[in-house]
Amino acid sequence: MEIINWKELLYPYAQTVDELLLKFRSLDKECRQLGIYSPIDSVTGRLKRPASILEKAGRKQISPDRIEEEIEDIAGIRILCQFVEDIPKVIEMVRKRKDMTVIEERDYITNTKPSGYRSYHMLVTTPVFLSDSIIDTKVEIQIRTVAQDFWATLEHKMHYKFEGDGPDYITKELRKCARYVAELDTRMEELNNEIQKYGKLSDKK
Ligand code: 0O2
């Protein structure tokens, strides 16, 4: 059985997460300091744990020597937006960056997953400068609204608690809640646009 050197494997991904966190948080900070609307509400990052990498590799029948090629979310960045209309703005920000190359995009906002999951995933590569080499590392960037994230966190918890086989009634309730979340997102966006319009009218007065 092949022994995986986790420290060596994970280090570049850990560095990537730290660097991208700083970069996206800086974009948000720049907008706020210049008084420009920021489509970014908050940014978090995580490194997939070895147990979780091995579980995914086992589930997808990936051999240990193919883990880096085939597991695309060892490094993960999550960008939360307040409104659905902010998501395309963040997508454009990522597409325009010279230090990231987009290799795949998955639109689970338009194509909601059967579970009810909604999020926009971008798989990018970005160079990491190590002491003796420069390597391109893959990162999965998940972009979604605060409300979609609230839902996904609870659904993820259920998934793990019941090892992917949650009770029917909870799965159904979660699907129902996913529809409420979509309605809430639409309504909040409409209200925000009304508030903005009102602001413009009073500016003119
Ligand atoms: P973790 O703990 O976040 O790392 P697959 O694992 O086969 O479903 P795939 O093909 O690798 O997914 O890519 P995909 O569909 O883009 O999903 C990768 C990640 O998206 C998942 O990572 C989750 O974080 C999130 N995700 C995808 N589908 C769902 C869903 O139905 N519900 C929730 N809550 N999250 C989802 P991991 O490895 O599952 O977990």
Side-chain angles (χ1 to χ4, degrees):
M1 201 181 113
E2 189 175 332
I3 294 172
I4 300 171
N5 182 341
W6 289 108
K7 257 193 195 160
E8 198 177 291
L9 187 143
L10 293 179
Y11 183 75
Y13 295 95
Q15 190 167 319
T16 302
V17 169
D18 287 347
E19 288 179 9
L20 292 202
L21 272 177
L22 182 69
K23 285 176 181 178
F24 286 115
R25 284 179 179 158
S26 300
L27 282 178
D28 178 37
K29 198 170 162 191
E30 182 191 338
C31 290
R32 288 174 206 270
Q33 285 196 347
L34 296 177
I36 303 165
Y37 178 76
S38 172
I40 297 174
D41 181 77
S42 61
V43 190
T44 53
R46 71 99 181 90
L47 194 60
K48 211 174 179 72
R49 285 175 297 108
S52 181
I53 296 175
L54 288 176
E55 181 279 317
K56 195 164 189 170
R59 182 161 43 87
K60 297 193 158 193
Q61 296 182 327
I62 298 165
S63 64
D65 60 316
R66 301 278 308 156
I67 281 177
E68 283 201 81
E69 284 75 21
E70 299 195 30
I71 297 197
E72 295 166 338
D73 61 343
I74 295 177
I77 291 287
R78 187 168 295 153
I79 303 176
L80 300 190
C81 303
Q82 288 193 357
F83 305 105
V84 177
E85 66 185 9
D86 293 332
I87 295 174
K89 295 175 192 157
V90 176
I91 296 169
E92 269 319 298
M93 276 178 160
V94 178
R95 286 184 185 147
K96 277 189 192 146
R97 288 200 70 103
K98 298 270 185 281
D99 53 353
M100 294 172 208
T101 308
V102 179
I103 49 180
E104 202 182 320
E105 297 188 22
R106 293 184 192 149
D107 182 0
Y108 300 128
I109 302 272
T110 315
N111 310 301
T112 311
K113 280 202 165 188
S115 61
Y117 179 73
R118 298 174 91 220
S119 186
Y120 197 93
H121 292 191
M122 300 181 88
L123 182 65
V124 307
T125 60
T126 188
V128 169
F129 292 73
L130 301 175
S131 58
D132 59 352
S133 58
I134 302 169
I135 53 169
D136 278 330
T137 54
K138 281 186 212 160
V139 193
E140 184 182 81
I141 303 175
Q142 300 183 343
I143 308 160
R144 57 194 186 221
T145 64
V146 174
Q148 286 163 354
D149 187 60
F150 183 35
W151 180 93
T153 305
L154 188 63
E155 201 266 352
H156 193 265
K157 198 196 258 178
M158 180 200 69
H159 208 72
Y160 271 82
K161 264 265 177 314
F162 299 99
E163 289 171 351
D165 197 19
D168 239 24
Y169 77 98
I170 300 185
T171 308
K172 277 190 193 144
E173 273 304 305
L174 278 167
R175 274 199 212 115
K176 215 196 272 175
C177 287
R179 290 196 293 275
Y180 296 153
V181 165
E183 276 171 39
L184 177 71
D185 267 337
T186 307
R187 198 67 203 112
M188 293 296 266
E189 190 167 292
E190 285 166 357
L191 281 173
N192 183 49
N193 289 333
E194 285 301 315
I195 294 166
Q196 298 304 321
K197 254 195 271 167
Y198 186 82
K200 275 179 198 145
L201 280 179
S202 46
D203 279 353
K204 274 188 191 157
K205 279 182 197 158

